Amino acid sequence: MVLIVVDDLGWADNGIKNGDVFNTPNIDRLAARSLSFSNAYAGAANCAPSRAVLMSGQYPPRHGIYTVSPSDRGHIKTRKLVPTKNTKVLKDEIMTMAEMFKANGYTTGHFGKWHLGEDPKTQGFDHNVGGGHNGHPKTYFSPYDLPSLSNGPKGEYLTNRLTTEVTSWITRVKDKPFFTYLPYYTVHTPIQAIKEVKQRYIGKKGIRNATHATYAAMVEIMDTNVGRIMQSLKDNGIYENTLVVFTSDNGGIRSISYQDPLRAGKGSYYEGGIRVPLLVSWPNKIKPSVSDEAVINLDFFPTFENIIKADKKSSLLDGIDLSAHLFNELPLPQRSLFWHFPVYLQAYDMKADQSRDPLFRTRPGSAMRKGKWKLHHYFEDNSYELYDLSNDLGEHVNFASAYPEVLQQMSAELNEWRKSVNAPIPQQLNSEYDLAVATKLLQRKIKKVKKR
């Protein structure tokens, strides 16, 4: 089992969807050999909560990790509510995906960003390279100053180094069942790339500025290393006996890379913040194709349990087993997907974010998808937005008033789900909130945007 999770890689940030900008021949080849999901979602719109969902197989209200701490981000006088307190570490009593694999006889290796505690070796991994509580590297060039990773030669690139560590480990453990978790730090900030690769993107059609060029170079370097992983499996004679999953932890940062036609990006619960690439490959087991089924990273845990015929399992999983769809092309049962974010996340860039609110990427609320419909519920003003994704992937036309019966049915289901997982809804008013100050800050931001 090899699970590759790229950090902040947007749904559109690859050669298949955006070949004018991105060069990803290895990911493109992997896609041609995979079941590729067009409606795949992360369990949250930013790093730590999405990883907690992935590793626990549980929705955020179960474990309390909603954001990258703290939960009261943004100017205090612009927040109407006191947000739910955030949890920083995945609790020991929750069985992780790694603990499940280990309990069932697998050797487990972690390479890259953990972000759920101080040491992934305390939560099911036998081997750890580079993983701790940190959410991003200080630099992508050695010396790195990362936990459980010795510095390499000066100027060595982190993504290349992590892949070398992975391929060496696979060679050592290839004769026994293994689970490789490769959560690359790339393409998260800081936006840094090898100079020679970056130069290929300067002035290229579709590249907006130097940051975008550097980002595209980071994507290409990551792609090269995905190719190295696949070649390592072939060189070790285990390619046909290895399930490979490739995905991202959340949407891309829209101020760096647009996710059109999706709205917004990382930190938002519009599609650009939670829809992610997902490829699942297993030669001669999974037929290469494209699936339009809506899936979420909650589903990996129960799917892996079934694939390895686990005797020791998690006692509580919120996702579903995708095996029948992966191996037999059977449709998935009808269900709704949910997101809950009872906290604040300040804006990156008011002009680029495409947020509902120019001061925040997200204010406290919940979202759900049911078939073609997407519902957003915001707690500060108890307002709703309803979108038809089959005709409006960019979530531009709010049908909340036009389809009251759909709104009523979905909001009732959302309420029932929140009760079932004990989802907290912040209600205490923030005594520091000041409408005049909030209005002034908003006007100041608008002026800055107009000057650009």
Side-chain angles (χ1 to χ4, degrees):
M1 297 282 188
V2 176
L3 174 57
I4 302 171
V5 178
V6 185
D7 197 350
D8 291 357
L9 181 70
W11 175 80
D13 297 342
N14 57 72
I16 294 175
K17 286 189 170 61
N18 201 353
D20 288 343
V21 173
F22 298 104
N23 181 34
T24 57
N26 294 290
I27 294 171
D28 298 353
R29 278 193 289 272
L30 179 61
R33 302 166 185 163
S34 300
L35 183 58
S36 177
F37 287 85
S38 61
N39 287 278
Y41 290 95
N46 59 335
C47 305
S50 175
R51 291 159 195 274
V53 170
L54 173 70
M55 276 291 123
S56 69
Q58 299 175 6
Y59 277 117
R62 307 272 198 199
H63 48 70
I65 300 177
Y66 296 106
T67 187
V68 179
S69 287
S71 61
D72 55 353
R73 294 166 70 172
H75 198 292
I76 188 171
K77 293 186 181 296
T78 64
R79 302 191 304 262
K80 295 181 181 180
L81 297 172
V82 176
T84 299
K85 188 175 181 181
N86 188 54
T87 300
K88 296 181 181 180
V89 176
L90 194 60
K91 299 172 183 175
D92 288 339
E93 56 264 32
I94 295 175
M95 175 184 253
T96 68
M97 182 186 293
E99 288 170 331
M100 182 277 293
F101 274 111
K102 187 172 181 178
N104 288 280
Y106 276 65
T107 297
T108 55
H110 174 281
F111 304 84
K113 175 176 169 177
W114 180 237
H115 211 198
L116 298 174
E118 292 300 326
D119 187 355
K121 290 175 74 174
T122 67
Q123 293 174 291
F125 286 99
D126 298 311
H127 188 68
N128 170 43
V129 176
H133 200 65
N134 48 302
H136 61 83
K138 295 178 180 177
T139 174
Y140 279 94
F141 295 96
S142 183
Y144 311 113
D145 191 26
L146 283 172
S148 303
L149 178 65
S150 60
N151 292 321
K154 185 176 181 180
E156 177 189 67
Y157 195 71
L158 178 58
T159 310
N160 294 340
R161 169 65 180 281
L162 287 174
T163 303
T164 298
E165 295 284 345
V166 171
T167 56
S168 297
W169 185 78
I170 287 175
T171 299
R172 294 198 301 272
V173 303
K174 65 181 180 181
D175 294 328
K176 61 183 78 172
F178 66 82
F179 169 58
T180 303
Y181 179 42
L182 176 54
Y184 279 124
Y185 280 99
T186 201
V187 291
H188 196 291
T189 54
I191 304 301
Q192 298 174 341
I194 297 169
K195 183 178 180 181
E196 293 77 11
V197 182
K198 176 183 175 180
Q199 287 302 121
R200 296 201 284 267
Y201 291 90
I202 300 294
K204 182 181 177 181
K205 178 184 176 182
I207 295 294
R208 301 191 314 278
N209 51 42
T211 299
H212 196 203
T214 308
Y215 178 79
M218 293 179 77
V219 172
E220 179 179 328
I221 295 167
M222 176 273 295
D223 175 82
T224 298
N225 282 284
V226 170
R228 291 178 62 197
I229 298 292
M230 301 308 295
Q231 188 60 48
S232 172
L233 298 176
K234 294 175 182 177
D235 292 344
N236 283 290
I238 55 175
Y239 172 70
E240 294 190 354
N241 196 35
T242 303
L243 175 71
V244 176
V245 176
F246 174 90
T247 191
S248 174
D249 63 340
N250 47 248
I253 300 174
R254 197 177 186 281
S255 60
I256 296 173
S257 182
Y258 295 162
Q259 298 305 308
D260 299 348
L262 306 185
R263 179 175 174 178
K266 177 183 178 180
S268 170
Y269 285 82
Y270 292 118
E271 292 291 287
I274 53 176
R275 193 180 288 220
V276 293
L278 174 59
L279 308 174
V280 184
S281 173
W282 193 355
N284 302 316
K285 299 283 189 179
I286 297 175
K287 181 181 177 181
S289 184
V290 176
S291 172
D292 295 327
E293 295 277 7
V295 297
I296 190 168
N297 64 355
L298 281 166
D299 299 331
F300 296 166
F301 203 144
T303 302
F304 291 162
E305 280 190 340
N306 184 57
I307 288 174
I308 70 169
K309 305 303 178 188
D311 293 322
K312 299 177 181 178
K313 302 180 181 182
S314 172
S315 60
L316 177 59
L317 295 175
D318 288 317
I320 64 172
D321 175 15
L322 304 177
S323 299
H325 184 61
L326 294 175
F327 302 123
N328 302 317
E329 302 176 72
L330 296 178
L332 295 177
Q334 291 186 349
R335 59 168 173 164
S336 299
L337 302 179
F338 301 94
W339 296 268
H340 189 65
F341 195 78
V343 301
Y344 288 89
L345 195 57
Q346 78 280 16
Y348 270 137
D349 183 320
M350 190 179 77
K351 186 175 182 179
D353 283 348
Q354 292 189 332
S355 301
R356 178 179 187 256
D357 180 342
L359 296 177
F360 291 89
R361 279 174 282 164
T362 305
R363 287 182 184 262
S366 298
M368 68 175 287
R369 175 168 177 176
K370 185 179 182 68
K372 70 177 185 177
W373 294 107
K374 176 85 171 292
L375 181 71
H376 298 261
H377 179 208
Y378 296 95
F379 301 147
E380 286 186 332
D381 56 3
N382 193 35
S383 61
Y384 291 89
E385 295 176 5
L386 179 67
Y387 299 103
D388 176 1
L389 296 181
S390 65
N391 293 306
D392 182 22
L393 201 57
E395 294 171 282
H396 299 303
V397 182
N398 181 6
F399 281 120
S401 60
Y403 289 90
E405 69 284 356
V406 176
L407 175 61
Q408 182 179 12
Q409 189 276 326
M410 290 186 69
S411 61
E413 184 179 349
L414 179 58
N415 280 331
E416 286 303 311
W417 173 79
R418 285 191 294 230
K419 291 177 183 177
S420 72
V421 295
N422 295 315
I425 299 178
Q427 296 178 329
Q428 182 183 348
L429 296 177
N430 173 23
S431 61
E432 297 291 321
Y433 174 72
D434 188 320
L435 178 60
V437 172
T439 302
K440 187 178 293 186
L441 287 172
L442 178 58
Q443 291 173 342
R444 190 181 302 167
K445 279 183 172 287
I446 291 172
K447 286 182 180 179
K448 286 183 179 180
V449 170
K450 288 182 176 179
K451 288 180 180 179
R452 293 182 187 176

